[in-house]
Amino acid sequence: MSTTAPPSTATTFHHHPNPDARSDEERERLVAAPAFGTVFTDHMARVTWTAGAGWADHRVVPYGPLSLDPAAAVLHYGQEVFEGLKAYRHADGSVWTFRPEANATRFAASAHRLALPQLPVEDFLTSIETLVAVDSAWVPGGDETSLYLRPFMFASETFLGVRPTREAEYVLIASPVGPYFPGGVKPVSIWVVRDFHRAGPGGTGYAKCGGNYAASLLPQQQAQAHGCDQVCFLDAATGTELEELGGMNVFVVAADGSVSTPALTGSILEGVTRDSVLTLLREAGREVTERGITLAEVRDGLVSGAVAEVFACGTAAVVTPIGRLASDDFDLPVGDGGTGPVTAAVRAQLTDIQYGRAQDHHGWMHRLLPPR
Ligand SMILES: *Cc1c(COP(=O)(O)O)cnc(C)c1O
């Protein structure tokens, strides 16, 4: 939604300031050189759900460990969902986030699939607005830096029986992050895994849940053992079509300039970046299709030159060029192994919008804080 969105009507988050908040000096040191996902701000937002009372006790509290009973359902049956988005500081000091309603809606859809309660979209948005306002000094200001926001929800009920939880916790934490590619964008190598799948028909592939990531880690380890950076999964039904990486969607650019990406089948995560890239490419006048893409087609296209570029996309790395594709029976460079022009252009277009360097014609940016 755009800046003209009406003020939020969601429940107020009560602020309990952290008495041990880091000093300005310590915070500035931490924000200056953040390693991804290792440094967190002074506060976190929380909302507690019970089957009897619904969502209650909206609060922003000091960041710190959660206390869980060893019999908490999430620790046994993995009833958990999460989201990932970023807050960007623009040149005038204002702070914005990108399409947060899309994340809020997906969070609710993921929760539904995992039989968790659905957090109202307004509460999701207000938790972000409130936490970023409280910890505004933690939003970095450098090139391609951001405050990574991680909303998540889990089954907190103390109960070992197998049924949907009657108690859940929603938590939002935030972590300042530096550029994903500190030395400039660098193509990654991809291992296409044959004997494992990330998700199957009717499963949880479209939901953003920790369990999908747990299932992707052994294949990811194998990809690394084969000298590749990341793993790409094939569809579980036929084992012939590209689905996505462990945490990023995938696009194929043909030599004629047309672009395709795997259609959403239920086992693919519907990325906000994927949708934004589709929009930008279509507006640029490209022929863009969502369809089944076989591995054979891509492999043959890399050999013949019919496939010019392959890239992955997601919030963390935005758009990542793929420079090499390998599996049990082939190992091929993509183009010359570098970053292709279509990949580079769409990456620049998207980051220019996110960092306020280009006009936001789509109403994708949501202002969190005014200029300072
Ligand atoms: C989060 C995620 C993506 C990317 O989604 P974005 O909304 O673009 O960040 C892609 N695939 C999987 C499996 C994911 O979990």
Side-chain angles (χ1 to χ4, degrees):
M1 225 159 286
S2 69
T3 47
T4 55
S8 168
T9 53
T11 317
T12 303
F13 282 68
H14 295 285
H15 181 204
H16 307 267
N18 188 343
D20 299 316
R22 263 71 54 95
S23 66
D24 289 352
E25 205 176 45
E26 173 71 350
R27 188 191 60 244
E28 278 157 25
R29 187 183 68 76
L30 291 169
V31 172
F36 184 84
T38 56
V39 170
F40 298 93
T41 67
D42 287 320
H43 297 86
M44 58 187 184
R46 286 183 76 164
V47 190
T48 301
W49 179 87
T50 55
W55 292 105
D57 203 6
H58 302 61
R59 59 211 189 271
V60 167
V61 295
Y63 182 93
L66 304 169
S67 172
L68 276 189
D69 191 282
V74 65
L75 300 177
H76 304 276
Y77 310 122
Q79 204 187 356
E80 185 263 1
V81 295
F82 69 97
E83 269 304 325
L85 65 169
K86 290 171 169 176
Y88 309 88
R89 194 178 289 285
H90 288 185
D92 65 1
S94 60
V95 176
W96 303 69
T97 189
F98 183 74
R99 305 186 67 183
E101 318 73 19
N103 296 91
T105 307
R106 187 172 68 190
F107 192 56
S110 299
H112 178 67
R113 180 62 185 84
L114 275 283
L116 282 162
Q118 290 172 268
L119 182 75
V121 167
E122 283 301 320
D123 283 346
F124 183 95
L125 298 178
T126 307
S127 71
I128 290 171
E129 288 163 358
T130 310
L131 184 65
V132 171
V134 167
D135 282 335
S136 61
W138 288 87
V139 185
D143 198 28
E144 295 226 359
T145 64
S146 62
L147 184 67
Y148 184 78
L149 304 167
R150 168 52 59 86
F152 61 103
M153 187 205 304
F154 60 90
S156 53
E157 185 181 356
T158 302
F159 181 60
L160 289 186
V162 181
R163 59 150 170 75
T165 189
R166 288 178 188 150
E167 294 168 21
E169 284 293 321
Y170 166 74
V171 186
L172 167 66
I173 56 176
S175 171
V177 293
Y180 195 86
F181 298 103
V185 176
K186 202 172 126 272
V188 298
S189 53
I190 298 294
W191 179 259
V192 182
V193 65
R194 292 309 214 317
D195 25 345
F196 293 112
H197 298 282
R198 177 190 160 271
T204 56
Y206 71 87
K208 208 168 176 75
C209 62
N212 290 341
Y213 279 73
S216 76
L217 296 177
L218 177 63
Q220 170 65 27
Q221 241 174 3
Q222 295 187 345
Q224 281 161 345
H226 287 286
C228 289
D229 300 310
Q230 299 261 332
V231 62
C232 179
F233 293 95
L234 299 173
D235 76 290
T238 70
T240 60
E241 294 185 354
L242 296 191
E243 289 220 311
E244 60 172 318
L245 313 193
M248 281 191 273
N249 296 114
V250 67
F251 280 75
V252 177
V253 184
D256 67 6
S258 64
V259 182
S260 48
T261 191
L264 300 172
T265 55
S267 50
I268 295 175
L269 198 288
E270 188 173 351
V272 178
T273 318
R274 174 188 180 278
D275 185 71
S276 309
V277 164
L278 282 172
T279 301
L280 293 175
L281 290 171
R282 283 194 181 115
E283 285 173 3
R286 286 188 187 278
E287 189 195 316
V288 182
T289 43
E290 300 172 67
R291 61 180 176 87
I293 303 173
T294 65
L295 177 61
E297 171 192 342
V298 175
R299 189 192 53 212
D300 295 350
L302 290 175
V303 172
S304 71
V307 168
E309 304 176 32
V310 183
F311 65 84
C313 68
T315 296
V318 197
V319 169
T320 304
I322 293 173
R324 180 182 152 219
L325 204 65
S327 191
D328 298 320
D329 51 355
F330 69 91
D331 190 341
L332 294 164
V334 179
D336 62 3
T339 304
V342 177
T343 304
V346 77
R347 185 176 209 285
Q349 235 187 320
L350 196 51
T351 52
D352 282 351
I353 294 170
Q354 290 169 335
Y355 286 91
R357 298 184 294 254
Q359 249 207 314
D360 169 28
H361 297 296
H362 307 91
W364 283 341
M365 301 306 289
H366 178 106
R367 197 174 81 169
L368 296 171
L369 293 170
R372 63 178 180 193

